[in-house]
Amino acid sequence: MQKMLCVLLLLSSTFSLSGQDFDILILNGKVIDGTGNPWRLADIGVKDGKIAAIGHLSGALAVKTIDAAGKVVCPGFIDVHAHVEGSIENRPAARNFLHDGVTTLVTGNCGGSRIDIGNWFRELETKKLSINIASLIGHNSVRRTVMGNEDRDPTPEELQNMETLVQRGMEQGAVGLSTGLIYLPGAFAKTPEIVALARVAHTYGGVYASHIRQEDDRVLDAINEAAVIGEESGIPVEISHFKITGKTNWGRTGEMIRLVESYRKKGVDVTVDQYPYTASSTGLDVLLPEWSREGTNEEVAARLTDRATRKKVLSEMKTMLARTGFKNYAYAVVAGCPWDSTLNGKNITEITALSVKKPKTKDEMETVIDMVAKGRRVQMVYHKMNEEDVKTLMRLPYAMVASDAGIPAFGVGNPHPRAYGTNARVLGRYVRELGILSLEDAIRKMTSLPAQKFNLHDRGLLLVGMAADILVLDPDKVSDTASYDHPHAYSTGIEQVIVNGLPVIEDGKHNGAGAGQVLRGPGYHMDQR
């Protein structure tokens, strides 16, 4: 009887294995599961959009089989700092991100988001998304809706209205609250206002992601503010694109790290993200003092053409430039000028020289003012950071990898190369070439760490039952090919990208599949759809 039972169990086990019916079977890969643990040889079976089995599956059957011998199999990357509002609607294939291994984006950063996230999510669900999308609710968008672009404190009623908008955003599925305290109108907000809104987001299980108020010689004050907001509201804090800018500040990353870790020791959940480049990218108008940018575009233009006001702006710009340690604006390069594409790729010094034979710094400031007065939509790339600081911050165990990018129209303008090559650059340059990180830890910083922070509970790990967002990549070949001079170039070496159990990148080519989903946060209420 016992012998017969053993035979039956053996037959049952054999039938279970040989009868497997996977949608996708990935064989012979070096599996890096996202935890930071060393790779192991294993096979992965995918069924109905989920990881169905991990182990020895050579006897199984599947609709599609991928031989990953000699390759790394890992979770799809999660980019927690994106800006895709206005681009993903027209470019839902998100090729720049998928070729870079990103399968999930968190947008709505730096205080800018859709106000009616529920309607926007429903719109996205009618698109053929190739990538997963989550969103924060942006403080700048909320404040502008209630108060316009005014430099003042909110009234009690206005603060209540802002709290209501944040509450609605969280119930519609936002994963947290974002601020952009260098931008208007967020720059006009004081800390207690943000604490009040962060408390609302925390009630719904959200995160506070902040483009902090300063990233120059005042960066420690800005870090303190972000941490205090977390401490007083109870909300987990994510400091966006963690960096220090300006020659006079290079090498101060140790101070920044000690301050963050002092708060972590106190129990404040502070983490950071970074992009692996020494240049940032934002609007041209940040080179002007905050007060000069208050109001509508027309009001700003009128202010900047007033002789007395312009003199005051020039005086403050001189002080602002001195803080950077740079003598002129050669570090400021136009990425996209909507009214003159011939300026794309030129720095402010070069642009000034087009009209002034021997331009001085004051002439360059005049150029900046004139360009802003035409419209505050000029996108820039600012070469203001130091490579050693980038390396130092990359070693932090609580630092995620994030692009701070959107979905550019391929070949249009001169965008920051981070839009195409962020993750591949980390794996190629900082892991393979420089040895700053191990491959396993780099992948952890791109997968399970962001999933944990932003409550994406079924993403970021290769475990049975998790969503099947999976990459197959060649660790010896993965590279970023985008540069500042030639930014429109897809990353290479990421050969297979699977999103929710469906292939999207096959043998290095995007197949056009609409496999992406909208991912809603823990505060989502079905009646808010």
Side-chain angles (χ1 to χ4, degrees):
M1 182 67 180
Q2 186 176 7
K3 184 176 180 181
M4 182 178 294
L5 181 59
C6 289
V7 171
L8 288 172
L9 287 172
L10 179 61
L11 289 173
S12 173
S13 175
T14 303
F15 177 80
S16 175
L17 180 62
S18 62
Q20 289 278 11
D21 185 16
F22 296 120
D23 299 320
I24 301 174
L25 189 60
I26 305 172
L27 299 174
N28 309 314
K30 294 180 177 180
V31 173
I32 297 179
D33 62 11
T35 63
N37 288 335
W39 63 264
R40 62 172 174 136
L41 290 175
D43 308 322
I44 296 178
V46 174
K47 180 73 174 177
D48 297 330
K50 303 288 185 181
I51 297 172
I54 302 176
H56 182 63
L57 306 174
S58 60
L61 302 175
V63 176
K64 179 181 177 67
T65 299
I66 298 170
D67 185 359
K71 309 293 172 61
V72 164
V73 182
C74 68
F77 302 147
I78 299 170
D79 187 334
V80 299
H81 195 105
H83 296 275
V84 299
E85 295 86 353
S87 59
I88 194 165
E89 298 90 341
N90 299 318
R91 293 182 282 279
R95 294 174 187 271
N96 59 315
F97 285 111
L98 285 157
H99 280 289
D100 202 40
V102 178
T103 56
T104 297
L105 296 171
V106 178
T107 192
N109 282 282
C110 294
S113 73
R114 294 292 190 242
I115 283 292
D116 194 330
I117 286 178
N119 274 340
W120 189 56
F121 279 172
R122 286 193 294 275
E123 178 189 352
L124 293 183
E125 287 174 328
T126 69
K127 307 288 184 179
K128 194 178 179 183
L129 294 179
S130 292
I131 199 165
N132 301 314
I133 298 290
S135 182
L136 298 148
I137 180 73
H139 166 247
N140 283 349
S141 300
V142 167
R143 197 179 209 266
R144 188 175 294 112
T145 298
V146 174
M147 300 176 57
N149 228 28
E150 296 185 25
D151 183 3
R152 61 176 177 82
D153 293 337
T155 65
E157 182 182 5
E158 287 170 334
L159 183 59
Q160 178 61 55
N161 289 341
M162 285 193 279
E163 291 174 345
T164 298
L165 286 177
V166 172
Q167 176 183 340
R168 188 182 73 174
M170 296 302 297
E171 291 179 348
Q172 290 176 334
V175 293
L177 170 72
S178 77
T179 56
L181 300 178
I182 190 175
Y183 305 118
L184 302 188
F188 299 144
K190 295 183 175 67
T191 305
E193 173 185 323
I194 303 165
V195 170
L197 301 182
R199 285 196 179 107
V200 175
H202 178 49
T203 300
Y204 291 87
V207 174
Y208 173 61
S210 181
H211 179 150
I212 55 179
R213 210 173 286 272
Q214 296 96 15
E215 297 170 330
D216 53 20
D217 57 314
R218 300 160 291 179
V219 69
L220 298 183
D221 291 337
I223 293 170
N224 266 315
E225 180 183 37
V228 165
I229 289 167
E231 190 171 37
E232 293 189 7
S233 68
I235 198 168
V237 176
E238 174 78 1
I239 299 179
S240 300
H241 37 63
F242 199 51
K243 60 182 178 290
I244 186 114
T245 66
K247 281 185 178 181
T248 54
N249 301 307
W250 291 351
R252 292 186 61 197
T253 46
E255 298 173 59
M256 298 163 61
I257 292 167
R258 286 191 290 275
L259 182 56
V260 168
E261 293 182 353
S262 71
Y263 278 102
R264 289 185 60 81
K265 287 177 182 177
K266 289 171 63 177
V268 183
D269 183 357
V270 183
T271 53
V272 306
D273 57 67
Q274 72 167 147
Y275 44 76
Y277 297 91
T278 56
S280 60
S281 182
T282 190
L284 178 63
D285 61 342
V286 300
L287 297 181
L288 272 59
E290 291 169 359
W291 61 266
S292 69
R293 298 179 269 139
E294 182 183 4
T296 65
N297 288 340
E298 293 74 19
E299 289 170 334
V300 171
R303 186 179 299 125
L304 295 178
T305 54
D306 176 75
R307 182 175 296 181
T309 304
R310 193 178 182 100
K311 184 178 179 180
K312 183 180 179 184
V313 170
L314 286 167
S315 176
E316 293 194 26
M317 288 179 71
K318 183 178 179 180
T319 301
M320 292 168 69
L321 180 62
R323 290 189 106 116
T324 70
F326 293 99
K327 295 180 179 179
N328 57 30
Y329 292 98
Y331 71 85
V333 180
V334 175
C337 179
W339 65 82
D340 188 353
S341 62
T342 67
L343 300 182
N344 295 344
K346 293 183 174 67
N347 65 47
I348 295 298
T349 304
E350 292 169 334
I351 293 170
T352 306
L354 296 175
S355 56
V356 180
K357 285 187 178 180
K358 294 182 179 180
K360 298 179 180 179
T361 304
K362 181 178 179 296
D363 298 313
E364 296 182 23
M365 292 177 181
E366 297 274 9
T367 297
V368 172
I369 293 172
D370 289 340
M371 291 177 69
V372 172
K374 284 186 178 181
R376 292 180 286 180
R377 296 172 297 156
V378 181
Q379 189 70 14
M380 304 293 292
V381 172
Y382 295 112
H383 296 268
K384 295 174 64 178
M385 298 178 304
N386 175 263
E387 173 73 357
E388 290 306 311
D389 289 335
V390 172
K391 292 177 185 176
T392 298
L393 296 176
M394 193 170 292
R395 293 185 178 98
L396 297 177
Y398 49 82
M400 305 165 205
V401 176
S403 68
D404 193 10
I407 306 172
F410 193 87
V412 176
N414 207 66
H416 197 300
R418 67 191 184 190
Y420 288 89
T422 292
N423 293 279
R425 182 173 176 80
V426 171
L427 298 179
R429 175 172 172 75
Y430 294 94
V431 172
R432 186 177 65 239
E433 296 175 9
L434 300 180
I436 300 297
L437 298 169
S438 69
L439 181 59
E440 289 87 348
D441 196 40
I443 288 174
R444 178 190 66 83
K445 289 152 76 71
M446 300 171 178
T447 57
S448 67
L449 180 59
Q452 172 184 290
K453 185 71 178 196
F454 285 78
N455 293 306
L456 305 174
H457 298 301
D458 62 344
R459 315 275 160 173
L461 290 168
L462 296 183
L463 293 173
V464 172
M466 301 289 276
D469 293 345
I470 304 173
L471 310 180
V472 179
L473 61 88
D474 188 331
D476 297 324
K477 294 181 180 179
V478 62
S479 298
D480 62 312
T481 62
S483 66
Y484 294 108
D485 292 332
H486 302 285
H488 296 283
Y490 296 126
S491 296
T492 59
I494 298 174
E495 300 176 356
Q496 316 287 336
V497 178
I498 297 166
V499 180
N500 295 309
L502 295 175
V504 177
I505 302 287
E506 297 184 275
D507 300 322
K509 296 180 180 179
H510 196 300
N511 63 18
Q517 297 177 2
V518 168
L519 305 180
R520 293 175 171 87
Y524 172 60
H525 288 187
M526 288 295 293
D527 60 356
Q528 292 292 319
R529 283 180 59 85

